Each structure stands twice: as C-alpha cells, then as structure tokens.
Amino acid sequence: MIPLTMAEVAEATGGRLHNADGSETVTGSVEFDSRRVTPGGLFIAMPGEKVDGHDFAAQAVAQGAVGVLAAREVDAPSVIVPPVTEAHRRSVALTGDRDGSGAAVLAGLARLARHVVDRLDRLTVVGVTGSSGKTSTKDLISQVLTPLGPTVAPPGSFNNELGHPWTALRATADTRFLVLELSARGPGHIAALCDVAPPRIGVVLNVGSAHVGEFGSREGIAQTKGELVEKLPEDGVAVLNADDPLVAAMASRTRARVVLVGEAMNAHIRAVDIRLDEQARASFTMVTPNGSADVALGLHGAHHVGNALSAAAVALEAGATPEQAARALSDARRVSARRMEVITRPDGVTVVNDSYNANPESVRAALKTLAAMARTGNRRRSWAVLGVMAELGAESVAAHDEIGRLAVRLDINRLVVVGEQAAPMHRGASLEGSWGEESVLVPDVDAAVALLRAELAPGDVVLVKASKSAALWRVADALLESPQGETR
Ligand SMILES: Nc1ncnc2c1ncn2[C@@H]1O[C@H](COP(=O)(O)OP(=O)(O)OP(=O)(O)O)[C@@H](O)[C@H]1O
Ligand SMILES: [Mg+2]
C-alpha cells in the first residue's frame, strides 16, 4: 500500500482514532489474518464464524502491524469505523456477522481502497466479470499486461467485498495496471465493487446460469453483470463477448467505447481457424483492426479462446501490438489451481483436474475438452467424474439431466456421478439411448476413488469436476498421489 498515516486512514474511512495519535504511518500491506501481518502493515479486524479478528489485534501488533482497522475498541493503535445500517448489513450478508461489525469494517476498507486508488493517477483499473472464466481471464490479462508495466492482480478468486479491496490496496505509486475480478451474489454488488476501484476497462465474458437460483433468471444475471459497463467512464472501454447475445446487448448500457470479441463476424477482435491439439489446447489466428497474429494457447479447452480474445483486447487498449499480445497469450500458463489442470501420471493416465467449481456452462466446456482430448491422437478411453452443480434453484434437475445426456452425445466412455444430489445426471445419461453400464452413480468421494483405482487403465483420460461443496478435488488428489509415484 502507499504510505498512509493512521490520521489519513481515519479520514478516508470516516472512522476515529483510538490508542493512536494519528502520526503512526502504515507502510505495509493490509491483512485479515494476524499471522500474515508483516512489519508496517494494517490489520483488518473481521468477525468470523469461529473467531473474531478483534481478539487478535494485540497479536497483529506484536507481528509488526502499525495499527488496526476495527469496529470496536481494541487494545492497540486503531481506527474505529462507524456502524452501518441494518439494511447495509443485510445486503452484505457475511456469515458470522451477527451485529454488523464485519460489514462496518468492510465499508471502511472499501472507502480506504477508493482513497488509495484515487491518489494513483498512473493507474488503469481493469475489471472482469461473467458467469464462468473470471479467474482464468484475470490471470491471462495479468500475464499480457505485465510486459507493459507493473501489474497487480489478486491470487486465485478474490472477487468479493473482502478480496477486492484487499487487492486494490496492493497497488502502489509504481503500479500501472490493477486487474480485478468482480462477482455478484445479488443486484448492486458489481456496482458497489466498481465504486471501490473504478475500472476504465471492463470485460464481460458470458452470462450463464451460475447462481440462477438466487437471481431468478439469466436476464436477471445479465442485468447485474452489466452494472460493470454502466459504471465505465466515457473514455473507458467495454470489452464484450460478441458470441453471447446477452453480453453483446450490454453495448447499449454503456457510455464507454465498445470492443466486441469472439468468433462472430461483427467482432472487432476475432479468432479464426481455431484448431485443438491432442491436449485440447487451442491455436488460432487473431484478427484485429491493426493486423493479425497467430496464437497458440497453453491452456486446455476451446472455451479459453474467448477468454484469450478478451485479454488481447485489454492488452491492445493498453498499447500492445497484436504480435505482442499474441506472444504474451501464447506464453501464458494456468496460474490458479484446479482449473483445467492437466497432469499425466507415470502410468499414462491423464487427470484433468477441474474440481475447483462447476456450473452448467463450465461443465459443458470441460466435457467438450475431455472429448477432444480422447478423440485426437490415439483414441483414449474417457472418464467424466462429476458431482453436483450447486445453486441452480428450480433449474437444477433439468440442468443435471442435460449434462448426463451431453456426456453420452459427446461419446464419453464412462460417467461416474458422485452423490445423490447429482443423480439426475446419471438418469439423464441412462435415458439417452445406448448407455447401460457406462454410467454409474456412487454415493460419495471414497466410492468414486475406489471404483477408479480398480478400473483405470494406462492411457485413460479422467475429468474431475463439481461445485465446491462436493469436494471432488479429493478424488483428483487421490488419483494423483502414490502408489503411482511422484507425479507433480
Ligand atoms: N469462457 C468460459 N466458458 C465456460 N467455462 C469456462 C470459461 N472459462 C473458464 N471456464 C471454466 O469455468 C470454471 C471456472 O473457471 P474460473 O475459476 O476461471 O471462473 P470464475 O468465473 O472465476 O469462477 P468463480 O465464480 O467460481 O470465481 C473452470 O472449470 C474453467 O475451465
Ligand atoms: Mg473466480
């Protein structure tokens, strides 16, 4: 973070000093976890489900924190933030935040982040939203921008009211680009994140059915995702997916210049001649208004073509040539774990670990990738180990059924459906015609692992994917640990 006195922190957050005279200067980063505090840092005291950060204020100071941002008085130099309204507490809906003190601290943190971002006049903020691919694309954007200037991007999927300001506060006077992932659990959330660090470039990837249970409809999701482009300034740029009608339609909701990306003829930045190699990595020619360049992605799955075009659009806006953007995209590697992580064991079994999370669109993308990997080269036996896709509300049974049927249509050889909640996938697959023994329903992760250990053969390709709650990463981890030996 840029150096700030505690008096400035108090002013920026609207809080008051406690046990501090205001001259103490924060020079390090902000942290929620007292164990992560480094000398000069600012500790953010958040109440959690099990422990309350306020009880760790003294420990944070002992670790070197200059001060604490808190909702109530603690035995440490601190800034006490003002309370928030009950309506605000409910809209933030933090688990474990019974009295609203967590929402109050986060509101203070958001104001602090905005204060810092406003002072960094060399900074370009890039925001990414969409139903699927935010983290993957954020990682691509950060890799294409890094050659152009110092870039700050969050690790993993820091995309909510905690991770977003935490990341913004990592920007310093040297930072040229701040890349942020924006997610929403309800209307107004994306707009609120935009107020914390106002993006000049906004990327909307797609509108799927993730969280449709909470939003009511895909149009409801589009309404919320589009808050990003509504917030862009007149001299900003909205990067929109030309291949997704609900995203392309957002062009009418922004004052910013619109750059369309995709395979559609009307896209300003297009991918043509897309090919997949035996590991389902895409190569294509990127056609831009300033010339064409060839891209060979290191990421697995055709769905990354659209993500890559979005990242290219950002790079071109930031001053890269098409050749530079294409080279950076071709050099880019997967950064965040358990997203299309492809590992081949010494015995020749390939595990596609996509167990981080799942929704219908990302499962479709992953199944198509699996089918492509099995199809190319020597025909390999394909396995899809799938668990529940959560938070789909009334669409849940139909969505699971549809995935089961898709697995059959894509000629996946074996489908292992894990857990009763995902059972409609198994039923859909079984009803889709010729399938008899090819689909099985197993009760849990242990049963899935036992089945796979008994039946996997050299050369097989196994996709593992489900929503976080199903914890299918345990299947992937079990497949990748010994007795096959050292694999990572
Ligand atoms: N454009 C895309 N279309 C469909 N699926 C995609 C796309 N990009 C990535 N995915 C897949 O979606 C899953 C989640 O990817 P990623 O973590 O990048 O998305 P996210 O939007 O950040 O997710 P979350 O909302 O959980 O943070 C992965 O399985 C990934 O392979
Ligand atoms: Mg994410």
Side-chain angles (χ1 to χ4, degrees), residues 172-188:
T172 64
D174 293 335
T175 310
R176 287 273 287 114
F177 304 106
L178 173 62
V179 189
L180 296 168
E181 172 174 340
L182 288 76
S183 86
R185 292 179 313 277

Side-chain angles (χ1 to χ4, degrees), residues 215-285:
F215 285 94
S217 66
R218 290 184 73 218
E219 285 68 23
I221 297 173
Q223 190 55 37
T224 298
K225 304 272 181 232
E227 290 168 11
L228 171 58
V229 298
E230 285 176 352
K231 284 282 182 178
L232 294 172
E234 224 161 273
D235 66 348
V237 181
V239 177
L240 298 177
N241 182 352
D243 299 332
D244 184 325
L246 286 174
V247 177
M250 291 177 194
S252 65
R253 291 171 60 189
T254 186
R255 293 173 293 169
R257 184 158 47 83
V258 171
V259 174
L260 292 172
V261 302
E263 291 173 56
M265 285 303 289
N266 65 337
H268 303 107
I269 300 181
R270 287 178 66 212
V272 297
D273 195 17
I274 301 171
R275 307 163 302 276
L276 295 182
D277 73 5
E278 75 292 345
Q279 293 228 46
R281 288 172 296 213
S283 298
F284 58 94
T285 301

Side-chain angles (χ1 to χ4, degrees), residues 133-136 157 181 303 307 339-340 354 357 362 465:
K134 295 179 292 295
T135 297
S136 309
S157 199
E181 172 174 340
H303 54 289
N307 301 342
R339 293 164 181 84
M340 299 306 285
D354 200 26
N357 212 350
S362 71
K465 187 163 181 72

